[in-house]
Each structure stands twice: as C-alpha cells, then as structure tokens.
Amino acid sequence: MIRVPTFGKLVRVGLPSAFRGEIWEASSGAMYLRFANRDLYSEILEKYKDQRSTSTEEIEKDLNRSLPEYPGYQTEEGLNRLRRVLTAYSWNNPELGYCQAMNIVTSALLIYTTEEQAFWILHVLVDRMCPGYYSTNMYGALLDQIIFEKLVERTMPLLWNHFKKTNVELSVACLPWFLSLYINSMPLEYAVRVLDMLFMEGPRILFQIGLAILKLNGEELLKSGDDGSFLDVLKSFFQSMGVKELIEQDRAESVKSTYREFSLITDEMITELRSENQLKVGAGIESFTKRTIIRHLKDTAGFTKEEIAILYDKFYGALYYANHEVAGKSESSMNQEIFHSMLASMTLWAKNKSSEDSIDVKAAQEVSSRFIERLYISFAGSKDAFIDFQKMIIGMNEILHGDIMSHLDWFFDLYDEDDLQMLTSKNIIDMSKELYWLISVLRDTDIAWDAVTNLIVQSCEQSDVAKGGQPDEATLMHRLADLTMKASSYSFHSRIKQLENSIIADLVDLTIPSFRMVALTNETLEMFFDYGFKNSFKLVKSAADRQKSLVREVFENLFEDGQKLAEETPSQSSISREKSSNSLAQIDSSPPITKSPSGQDVKLDEEVDTLINEMDTFDVWSN
C-alpha cells in the first residue's frame, strides 16, 4: 500500500483518526521492529516491574506535564499508559534512558496507537529519524537548528538579515519546535498532521514546515525588533490556527501551499548539511561544556587558565577512553583504573605496563600499583570514593605547587595511613620501596638505592633521638653496611625484599619535624621532594592531542549512527517519496537553493554557545 503512488498524496490530504496509528507504524517502519521483537515490550515491563532508576524518577516528574490539556492525560489510566511506554524504553535503552521532550512526543503517539506501537515508533524517532535529539546534550537538535538557520539564510535572505541586524535569535522559538516535533507549539489537530508527513517523508518535513511558518509571518517578523516581539508574532500565529472561522478560511491552506514552496529541500540536502556541520557543532558543544565546567570550579588552586584547560583535557580524555562503565560512577567522575590512565598521560612512571612476566617486572608493578592507590586515596578522600574534576584540581595543586616543606608534609600524610601524625616502621618500609621504584624510573637504580638506605638508617636514628635515647652507632653502621652492599645479583625484587626485612625488629616512630630532618640529610631525597617528583608531571598536550582532538573522535562516534541512517532510503516508502517530490516540484515557485560560499559561513562555535544557553532558559512545555 505504501508503494502506491497516490499514498503520499492521501497522507498529505489527511489521515482518518481510526487508522492513523497503524499508518504511522507502517510508514515509519516501526511495524517491522514490532514483528521482529514479539512480546519484548511486555517482557521488559515484567522484568523491571517495581524497579527504580534515575530515568524513572525523571519520568515521574514529567508525567503531569505531558499534554495536560488533553482529557486522556487527566486520568490515572492515561498517565499509567504513558509511564509504562517511557519506562520500558528507558530500560531497553539504558545508555540514553529518558530525556526531556520524550514525554511530549510519546503522549501524542498514544492518542492513536497502542502502548506497544508507541514504544516501537519512539524507537524509530529517537534512533533513526531524529538522532541525537533526545540525548543528554541534545546535540542532534542543536545540529538541525544550525542547519535550519542556514536554510533560512538561503531561502529568505531579507528576513535573515533582519534577524542578524536586530540580534533576534531564531532558536528562541524554533529549537522547541524541533524538540517537540511541533506538538507543543501548534494546536494538536495540526501537530498530528506534521507527524503524518514526518513518518511518511522523513525529517526534512520539520525544516519545510518551519520555513513555511516563517515565510507566512514574514511581513510581521520584519517589524519585530527583539526576541520578545519575535515570539509574540509566532505565538499569535499558532493561536490563530485554532480559531474555527480561520480554519475554514485560508489559514490552514496557506500553511500547506507555503510548505510546498520548500519541496526542493530533500533528505539528501539535510544529510549533506548534517555531514558538513556535525563535527563543528560537536566541537562547539565540547568547547562550551569545557568553558562551563571550568567557570564553575569553586577553587582553581592557583592554576592558570591554560593549565586548567590542559588538566580538563587529561581528566575528561581519560574518562572518554575508558572502555567500560563502572557501577555507581557518574560520567564526570573516575575510579582508580581511569585515574591510573590519566596519570599515564602526564607521567612516565605511571606507564608501568609490560608484556614481560619476570619476577622483577611483577615486583615493580606491585609497588607502582600501591603508590598509585595511595595517590588515588589522597585525591578522592577514601578508597571507595570517586574523583571529580574539582578533586583532581585540588590534588594536583598539592603536587605541582608549594615549596619543599609543603611537599614533605604531603608525602608524610600520604604514608600516615592511620592519621596519627606519626610514621611507623611499616610506613617507612612502604615509603622506601615506593621511593626506590620512583627514583629508579626518574634517575638511576644505584642513586635510588643510596637514597632509600639513607632514609631507613636516618629514620631509625631520628626516632631514637626523638624518644630521648642515644642511637647505637655500631648497629646503625652495621645496618648501613648491610643495606649498601651492591652485589651485581641484586635484582629489583631482591632489593625490595631486603628493604622489607631491614627494620622489622625496630620500633620507629617518626614525626613530621623528624621526617623533614631525615629527608634533608640526603641530596637525592632533597631534590626529589623539592622538584623531582613535581617535574615528573608534564602538563602539555600530547602529539596525538594536537593531531586529532578528543572532541573530533567523540563526535565521529556520536553521529555515526545518524549518518548511516541519513544515507539509507527506507525501501517501503522510496517510490512514494520520489513521486511525491516530483508532484510538488511541478507547482514549486521558490528559487533554486544553492550552497552559500564558505566565506559566508557563520561562526558555529558562537552559535552553539547561544543555542545551549537558550536550552537552559526555554521551557519546552510552554507554547
């Protein structure tokens, strides 16, 4: 039936309400998904019955704001139907879950469809027809808003120039049109007609109708001088569409005829424009997000803007490249494994992965893992907590800023596991092993060995002095001689074992003042605590970052599915669409649409900033 040449014309004339749901399902292709996944909808509802999630909580907040004027959603039965469809979708697509405006679209679908039909039509809309519209950052709607503005510039240059001259932002009114598919802007009887054509002809209808509305109101819009008057004109227009006497005159027909003037806007054109602008829009969104997060930091800890920007890239780069989700972790915080990856992007010593299976490699990996765990606890506050960007900034401040005394105090706290303001024998052993590994990586194994043996001997001596006793010179000399033996057979593993056995019999209690004295008696330790460890962190962009930014790779993946969809032509409606386009082209009177010269392209990063700022202020529920 869909392939019959007259089918498209019949859809544009108007669908009978009794058959609207079935035709929506057939023309969108959702019917085939339902047939291929029989009983999946009911199985999801049964499986997740009475379970809660962040998405279900958001759904509950929005239920009473879903077409509240429609009688069906003034009853508990109607709200329960809507709740079940939205909840089932959120469980079936947990990566997306639930996003604003899904409730508006779904509530309109349920007026004409069963719950299962609405469930699968929602899948088609979110995944194929309007990719990215209902994501966390609504990148698809932002992209299409940029495309819509470019089409306005091409087809109505006089109106576009007026908007630019008066600083009127199209997105103030038009972004909600796209997000709610006009359902929340037009009277419902007109909005469902938009859905009729959307499912039949594809997403280009959203652009054509938007352009038609602007052209119909062109004379009045040319008189508007700000966003307020711009909104008033369009609000008045939509209200007039619901006046009975105007419906029977030429208001509705004028919308239809003006829509036909933009029939040269094709799916291929929309695909091309999406392809041209998707990475730029993605970069704009990422840039806006980056500036927003940095701007809302409570404490920048003395870092410059450039340093904060690099730390941001390191932090969120590690989060992005993590290949698995961690239970209980939000998108803006990291666990110990991701923290390790972040350190590896800044330091040499964190890159401790090796394909070798020797006892020395295993010993080094064990020591390094324990040190990185200490750093993680220091940054996060506890082993079970996560690190957000603010915690990362504070933690890096402790390492990269300050003088030698503040660095010594920080290392002291790192090993004072019981928070007793005292380092015990075990703490000194742990510090010695990890310093031996660190200094070996940064400088030389013999230099490292000399430094840690000095640390152990001096710790014993200073501990005895602090207790009021006199150190046993003979014992200290014997211990030093024993530790400083440099047999060529001493491997990393052997020396770690030797450190573990060095002061088992001694009870060492080292306070902060005593620890400072110990560290300053050895030149290697003094340089390490003063600037050696700090300088091991490189706050520069890697070559890979300069060649291909993170945001480019992120948005290549984000738009991949949408791009594949846009390149496909649904077989069940291809013939009808082609003939419908030919029919409309015969009566089209608009000038040919040509590409704007590249030099006239608008600065997309500024436009995206404006769009996202407006997303924070507009109310998708209001007309």
Side-chain angles (χ1 to χ4, degrees):
M1 179 181 69
I2 295 176
R3 299 191 179 192
V4 175
T6 57
F7 182 77
K9 294 181 180 180
L10 292 173
V11 170
R12 285 188 291 276
V13 169
L15 294 176
S17 295
F19 301 116
R20 179 166 269 132
E22 283 70 21
I23 294 178
W24 281 357
E25 187 186 29
S27 58
S28 68
M31 178 176 64
Y32 305 104
L33 292 176
R34 181 166 63 87
F35 289 162
N37 299 274
R38 291 183 182 276
D39 301 323
L40 178 62
Y41 175 71
S42 57
E43 290 171 2
I44 293 172
L45 291 177
E46 182 63 29
K47 179 179 179 180
Y48 295 100
K49 185 179 180 180
D50 299 327
Q51 293 192 34
R52 307 288 294 177
S53 68
T54 302
S55 293
T56 60
E57 292 174 2
E58 293 298 319
I59 290 170
E60 291 299 322
K61 294 177 184 178
D62 288 345
L63 280 179
N64 291 318
R65 296 188 286 183
S66 309
L67 296 184
E69 72 282 359
Y70 187 74
Y73 297 111
Q74 296 172 5
T75 66
E76 193 62 29
E77 180 184 357
L79 293 177
N80 284 336
R81 293 182 71 219
L82 179 59
R83 178 186 290 110
R84 286 191 292 268
V85 173
L86 293 174
T87 300
Y89 182 86
S90 71
W91 288 119
N92 195 46
N93 187 359
E95 184 178 350
L96 177 59
Y98 169 80
C99 288
Q100 188 185 44
M102 274 187 184
N103 60 315
I104 297 293
V105 174
T106 307
S107 61
L109 297 177
L110 282 172
I111 295 174
Y112 301 98
T113 67
T114 66
E115 291 180 31
E116 188 175 13
Q117 286 175 326
F119 172 78
W120 289 113
I121 293 175
L122 182 61
H123 265 282
V124 172
L125 276 172
V126 174
D127 300 340
R128 299 206 322 235
M129 286 192 169
C130 304
Y133 274 39
Y134 307 103
S135 62
T136 304
N137 55 20
M138 300 182 185
Y139 66 88
L142 294 177
L143 173 63
D144 280 357
Q145 188 61 35
I146 295 295
I147 294 172
F148 181 67
E149 292 183 0
K150 286 183 174 294
L151 292 174
V152 172
E153 182 181 10
R154 296 183 189 184
T155 58
M156 292 173 277
L158 183 62
L159 188 60
W160 173 257
N161 290 334
H162 173 73
F163 289 153
K164 301 308 290 183
K165 182 179 178 180
T166 56
N167 293 319
V168 170
E169 293 293 341
L170 272 175
S171 53
V172 170
C174 304
L175 186 58
W177 295 354
F178 283 74
L179 283 173
S180 67
L181 307 182
Y182 295 92
I183 294 168
N184 222 38
S185 299
M186 295 180 176
L188 188 58
E189 60 267 29
Y190 286 96
V192 295
R193 296 287 301 278
V194 173
L195 294 180
D196 293 345
M197 294 183 286
L198 172 65
F199 293 131
M200 182 64 219
E201 302 190 38
R204 64 185 173 88
I205 292 299
L206 301 177
F207 298 91
Q208 291 174 305
I209 292 177
L211 292 171
I213 291 170
L214 293 181
K215 184 166 185 177
L216 270 178
N217 295 276
E219 291 185 9
E220 294 182 45
L221 290 175
L222 285 172
K223 300 174 185 177
S224 63
D226 53 34
D227 290 339
S229 56
F230 171 67
L231 288 172
D232 288 340
V233 171
L234 294 175
K235 186 175 182 179
S236 176
F237 169 75
F238 286 127
Q239 288 174 342
S240 71
M241 292 177 71
V243 179
K244 185 175 181 180
E245 52 267 25
L246 287 177
I247 293 177
E248 294 174 353
Q249 295 175 13
D250 63 345
R251 200 58 149 163
E253 187 61 33
S254 62
V255 175
K256 190 187 303 182
S257 62
T258 309
Y259 145 73
R260 293 193 185 108
E261 294 184 19
F262 300 99
S263 61
L264 286 181
I265 296 174
T266 63
D267 290 332
E268 290 74 19
M269 179 183 294
I270 299 302
T271 299
E272 183 180 354
L273 287 171
R274 282 176 173 173
S275 178
E276 288 176 0
N277 295 284
Q278 60 187 21
L279 291 179
K280 296 176 184 178
V281 173
I285 293 174
E286 172 64 13
S287 176
F288 178 87
T289 303
K290 181 176 182 177
R291 293 196 302 273
T292 301
I293 290 175
I294 292 175
R295 187 166 57 246
H296 286 86
L297 281 174
K298 294 180 180 179
D299 185 1
T300 58
F303 287 106
T304 65
K305 290 182 179 179
E306 291 74 17
E307 290 171 335
I308 290 285
I310 293 174
L311 289 172
Y312 175 96
D313 292 339
K314 300 294 185 183
F315 183 86
Y316 285 97
L319 279 176
Y320 170 71
Y321 285 111
N323 293 322
H324 62 278
E325 294 293 326
V326 181
K329 178 187 74 65
S330 68
E331 293 181 356
S332 58
S333 61
M334 59 175 55
N335 66 350
Q336 185 175 329
E337 182 180 354
I338 303 174
F339 176 71
H340 189 171
S341 298
M342 182 191 71
L343 290 179
S345 70
M346 294 188 284
T347 67
L348 177 64
W349 45 263
K351 301 174 183 179
N352 62 346
K353 293 183 179 180
S354 174
S355 58
E356 294 184 30
D357 195 28
S358 68
I359 191 171
D360 285 338
V361 169
K362 288 182 178 179
Q365 290 177 341
E366 181 179 344
V367 172
S368 66
S369 296
R370 181 66 187 115
F371 179 71
I372 290 170
E373 182 181 358
R374 289 185 197 279
L375 289 183
Y376 181 81
I377 294 172
S378 175
F379 277 57
S382 71
K383 187 175 181 179
D384 297 326
F386 293 101
I387 298 176
D388 59 23
F389 187 51
Q390 180 65 77
K391 288 181 179 179
M392 187 258 201
I393 293 296
I394 299 299
M396 293 303 299
N397 171 59
E398 299 285 351
I399 296 173
L400 301 179
H401 296 156
D403 56 17
I404 185 172
M405 291 304 174
S406 64
H407 293 159
L408 285 169
D409 293 350
W410 182 79
F411 262 91
F412 183 94
D413 293 337
L414 203 61
Y415 291 88
D416 182 14
E417 297 173 352
D418 298 323
D419 198 22
L420 299 175
Q421 296 299 302
M422 188 80 67
L423 296 183
T424 64
S425 302
K426 179 181 180 302
N427 301 143
I428 295 297
I429 291 294
D430 290 340
M431 182 185 291
S432 300
K433 292 192 296 183
E434 291 162 23
L435 286 179
Y436 174 59
W437 162 72
L438 271 171
I439 299 174
S440 295
V441 173
L442 298 176
R443 295 191 63 184
D444 177 79
T445 55
D446 288 339
I447 293 175
W449 186 247
D450 177 71
V452 297
T453 54
N454 184 275
L455 172 66
I456 291 174
V457 172
Q458 292 299 324
S459 294
C460 293
E461 181 178 354
Q462 289 299 322
S463 179
D464 290 341
V465 171
K467 293 174 182 177
Q470 293 296 322
D472 187 338
E473 295 293 338
T475 301
L476 292 176
M477 292 298 294
H478 176 74
R479 179 178 288 110
L480 182 61
D482 182 60
L483 287 171
T484 53
M485 290 175 60
K486 294 185 175 63
S488 59
S489 61
Y490 276 16
S491 63
F492 183 88
H493 174 263
S494 300
R495 283 183 165 174
I496 291 298
K497 288 297 182 183
Q498 189 175 358
L499 290 174
E500 290 175 350
N501 299 325
S502 59
I503 55 174
I504 288 179
D506 293 311
L507 183 62
V508 173
D509 294 318
L510 209 60
T511 62
I512 290 181
S514 298
F515 174 67
R516 290 172 178 169
M517 293 182 64
V518 169
L520 295 175
T521 59
N522 182 271
E523 183 181 3
T524 300
L525 290 178
E526 181 180 356
M527 289 189 297
F528 175 82
F529 290 122
D530 187 13
Y531 56 83
F533 183 66
K534 175 178 69 175
N535 290 348
S536 69
F537 288 81
K538 307 299 181 184
L539 290 190
V540 294
K541 285 190 175 182
S542 65
D545 290 336
R546 291 191 294 268
Q547 292 171 7
K548 184 176 185 180
S549 67
L550 167 64
V551 66
R552 181 179 179 85
E553 186 163 346
V554 170
F555 279 90
E556 282 177 347
N557 294 331
L558 283 176
F559 283 92
E560 182 178 358
D561 292 338
Q563 201 168 14
K564 288 179 181 177
L565 165 70
E567 292 171 355
E568 296 174 357
T569 302
S571 59
Q572 65 267 29
S573 59
S574 58
I575 297 178
S576 173
R577 292 185 186 182
E578 181 181 354
K579 299 202 172 187
S580 298
S581 297
N582 292 336
S583 174
L584 291 173
Q586 293 174 1
I587 59 174
D588 177 69
S589 59
S590 61
I593 300 176
T594 57
K595 291 187 179 181
S596 301
S598 59
Q600 297 179 4
D601 284 349
V602 182
K603 294 183 179 178
L604 286 175
D605 55 342
E606 296 178 1
E607 291 191 27
V608 172
D609 278 8
T610 302
L611 289 173
I612 300 178
N613 278 321
E614 286 159 4
M615 285 174 59
D616 293 335
T617 58
F618 85 81
D619 186 353
V620 74
W621 321 120
S622 64
N623 293 334

